[in-house]
Amino acid sequence: MHQATITLNLKSPIPNHGPLSPHLISHQNPSLKLSFFPPVCRAHSIFNRANGVEISVPKHGPNSNSNSSSFKGSVQDWTSRSPVLKNVDVATLGNLCVDIVLKVPKLPPAKLEDRKAYMDRLAASPPDKQYWEAGGNCNMAIAAARLGLNCVTIGHVGNEIYGRFLLDVLLDEGIGVVGMSEDTDLGNNSNASYETLLCWVLVDPLHRHGFCSRADFSNEPAFNWMTKLSGEAKMGIKRSKVLFCNGYGFDELYPGLIVSAVEYAVEVGTAVFFDPGPRGKSLSSGTPEEQRALNHFLKMSDVLLLTSDEAESLTGIRNPILAGQQLLRQGMRAKWVIVKMGVKGSILVTKSSVSCAPAFKVNVIDTVGCGDSFVAAIAFGFIHGMPMVSTLAFANAVGAATAMGCGAGRNVATLDQVIKLMKASNLNDDGVFWNELLGEDLGTQEFTMLSKMVIKGSKNRPKYVSLQSVVSELLPKLESVQIEGTVPF
């Protein structure tokens, strides 16, 4: 059984959400290599009629051996596994990983050599497959596919058991997978840097946790051997309406490679969505290449998605509406800047308008995957030309439905859960917060506010849109997706 060197990066404690689930946490900075398991021998032949993507996966015979050198560290046979690309709604770029969540009696000691020994002992007893979950950009792709969008993921997956697991999950969700490199010599390379990215999430009895990541101990991206986009990756971008990128992509790909994908998307008319996430702050003070890449994203993205803290970090402006307006002024192509504010709700800022939507009131179990689910719904509204306040309401509902469960990956919200939540129409309407936010001097934009009820506006007040009217218009279309698998827009 192969074992690789393991490193640990300790992070801050997680909130106490009660008893831990194997899928409680998903992290988007994966990079740990660990022991292999026996392969899952599953054959797939999927045709997703909703998106016109045909996917063929080679059969693995009963004698397949995950410890064989032919599997270790090699890349997938993308020729046989790549989808036939047509009519794609959303493509995600990079950040494909497998999360492994484990409860441990205590976190590793601080000293590096002691920490490595601790992790080697842990690797000697590999966890059951029940603790594996798809992570990273898989979360957004799965959420989008469940909303009826046609999705492909563009990234690197190794040709070992974890890579097969990840492909199985994505293909079962009707999501195509496209390789990023066209270097045919990679298939015989046994270097661990070619393996599927893993993130081990270790949780102690006090709910403190640590994330295992080789990227945290290297100045190079995890896939530093990748220098250019494959022809298939370019085709995936060209055939997609939206290309989604996030800040964690910089942990595995060189900034120049990521920028080349953005430039190609702009060239072929594919809209670019960018969510810098927590990496936005480190990128803004990172290497010159990282800073240039971040600035390129801020200038060339069609849609920017940030938390209020991230928007303030990038602009120095605390008010999320004013911060969004500043980001619009800095951008060359920006159409929407969306600021996520958790239980308060969200804001969508354009050059001429501001739309605001309070969050749905739900029993929050776990916030992991909520942001990815939210982005999927924003893409849905953007692609189908929905009114902006309706798009926010829908995105809030999808994010909230995910928060009612545990973990991400296959645990993100289903369309049925979203529909039930929207029918309940229970908003967390904090009037004091919104009145204070909108009470500042915000310019002359048109303001629209989602509300529980119809409220007549005035010259100096927002235009109110009732949640009931949004739900009445949107639900028949979502229910059609449930029945027919197509979006009737």
Side-chain angles (χ1 to χ4, degrees):
M1 179 173 290
H2 170 74
Q3 294 182 4
T5 302
I6 300 167
T7 54
L8 179 73
N9 178 34
L10 296 179
K11 304 290 184 180
S12 58
I14 61 173
N16 188 333
H17 292 309
L20 287 172
S21 158
H23 305 306
L24 178 63
I25 308 169
S26 174
H27 184 58
Q28 293 179 319
N29 182 20
S31 51
L32 175 69
K33 297 297 103 194
L34 204 61
S35 306
F36 294 143
F37 288 69
V40 179
C41 302
R42 300 172 60 186
H44 290 276
S45 180
I46 298 175
F47 181 72
N48 186 339
R49 290 180 175 84
N51 61 17
V53 175
E54 185 173 7
I55 307 163
S56 297
V57 181
K59 296 179 180 179
H60 302 301
N63 296 322
S64 296
N65 183 357
S66 65
N67 297 320
S68 169
S69 60
S70 64
F71 291 123
K72 176 183 176 295
S74 61
V75 297
Q76 289 288 359
D77 179 5
W78 294 109
T79 302
S80 55
R81 287 184 178 244
S82 295
V84 178
L85 298 169
K86 50 186 175 181
N87 304 323
V88 177
D89 291 313
V90 176
T92 65
L93 181 70
N95 193 213
L96 303 180
C97 69
V98 174
D99 288 344
I100 301 176
V101 183
L102 290 180
K103 291 186 290 184
V104 294
K106 62 179 181 179
L107 294 180
K111 290 181 63 175
L112 185 62
E113 57 269 25
D114 294 339
R115 196 166 57 186
K116 181 181 180 301
Y118 176 98
M119 293 299 296
D120 284 341
R121 290 194 299 271
L122 184 65
S125 300
D128 188 86
K129 194 173 180 179
Q130 67 175 308
Y131 300 107
W132 305 6
E133 189 50 81
N137 269 342
C138 300
N139 302 332
M140 190 274 190
I142 292 173
R146 291 181 178 182
L147 300 180
L149 295 179
N150 314 323
C151 302
V152 297
T153 55
I154 302 171
H156 173 70
V157 178
N159 193 13
E160 51 351 67
I161 185 58
Y162 291 116
R164 292 175 184 166
F165 165 80
L166 199 56
L167 285 178
D168 282 344
V169 169
L170 293 172
L171 298 179
D172 283 345
E173 295 285 343
I175 299 167
V177 186
V178 178
M180 289 189 66
S181 176
E182 54 191 9
D183 188 343
T184 57
D185 292 333
L186 296 180
N188 297 320
N189 198 303
S190 61
N191 192 305
S193 66
Y194 294 89
E195 298 171 0
T196 305
L197 288 177
L198 302 184
C199 178
W200 272 39
V201 185
L202 307 179
V203 188
D204 74 2
L206 297 178
H207 291 199
R208 296 174 300 183
H209 65 294
F211 298 111
C212 306
S213 173
R214 76 168 184 258
D216 294 328
F217 293 85
S218 173
N219 293 325
E220 297 290 320
F223 299 144
N224 53 43
W225 44 266
M226 193 179 300
T227 58
K228 64 179 182 178
L229 293 174
S230 67
E232 290 79 9
K234 288 185 175 181
M235 184 60 68
I237 295 172
K238 184 176 182 178
R239 294 289 177 86
S240 301
K241 298 180 179 71
V242 167
L243 175 67
F244 174 68
C245 311
N246 66 24
Y248 290 111
F250 289 87
D251 291 334
E252 59 183 58
L253 303 173
Y254 279 117
L257 179 59
I258 299 174
V259 167
S260 71
V262 174
E263 291 176 340
Y264 185 74
V266 171
E267 177 186 338
V268 297
T270 298
V272 177
F273 278 42
F274 179 55
D275 186 342
R279 287 287 274 117
K281 187 173 183 179
S282 59
L283 290 173
S284 63
S285 58
T287 65
E289 292 78 11
E290 289 177 334
Q291 293 181 42
R292 285 194 293 269
L294 175 62
N295 290 333
H296 193 75
F297 264 111
L298 297 179
K299 288 182 179 180
M300 304 307 291
S301 296
D302 296 82
V303 177
L304 292 172
L305 304 108
L306 316 94
T307 66
S308 52
D309 288 341
E310 291 160 4
E312 181 179 359
S313 174
L314 290 175
T315 64
I317 301 173
R318 185 169 186 178
N319 184 292
I321 296 176
L322 294 175
Q325 292 170 344
Q326 176 63 26
L327 288 168
L328 280 170
R329 286 191 291 269
Q330 293 175 353
M332 295 174 58
R333 293 167 43 87
K335 298 176 178 65
W336 292 359
V337 173
I338 297 171
V339 182
K340 302 169 285 184
M341 300 180 296
V343 297
K344 297 297 184 184
S346 56
I347 296 170
L348 193 162
V349 184
T350 73
K351 292 181 179 178
S352 61
S353 67
V354 177
S355 300
C356 308
F360 284 82
K361 188 179 294 184
V362 298
N363 180 27
V364 176
I365 302 299
D366 184 11
T367 59
V368 171
C370 294
D372 300 309
S373 302
F374 180 95
V375 174
I378 292 294
F380 183 100
F382 182 88
I383 289 169
H384 295 297
M386 286 169 48
M388 287 175 283
V389 74
S390 300
T391 298
L392 283 184
F394 182 47
N396 287 349
V398 176
T402 294
M404 296 169 68
C406 284
R410 293 166 293 177
N411 302 301
V412 300
T414 64
L415 186 55
D416 181 62
Q417 292 170 324
V418 175
I419 289 174
K420 289 179 179 178
L421 182 59
M422 295 194 74
K423 285 181 176 178
S425 299
N426 191 8
L427 285 184
N428 184 24
D429 204 351
D430 186 345
V432 174
F433 169 79
W434 291 105
N435 287 335
E436 290 179 353
L437 186 64
L438 298 177
E440 297 188 37
D441 182 8
L442 302 173
T444 59
Q445 280 87 351
E446 175 185 323
F447 288 84
T448 303
M449 169 71 73
L450 185 71
S451 175
K452 291 181 181 179
M453 60 191 74
V454 177
I455 303 175
K456 186 176 181 180
S458 65
K459 183 177 180 181
N460 298 318
R461 297 286 296 174
K463 171 188 175 183
Y464 288 91
V465 175
S466 72
L467 175 61
Q468 188 57 48
S469 67
V470 171
V471 171
S472 298
E473 180 180 353
L474 188 55
L475 278 184
K477 297 168 182 175
L478 297 180
E479 289 167 346
S480 178
V481 175
Q482 274 186 311
I483 298 170
E484 302 176 9
T486 58
V487 185
F489 282 89

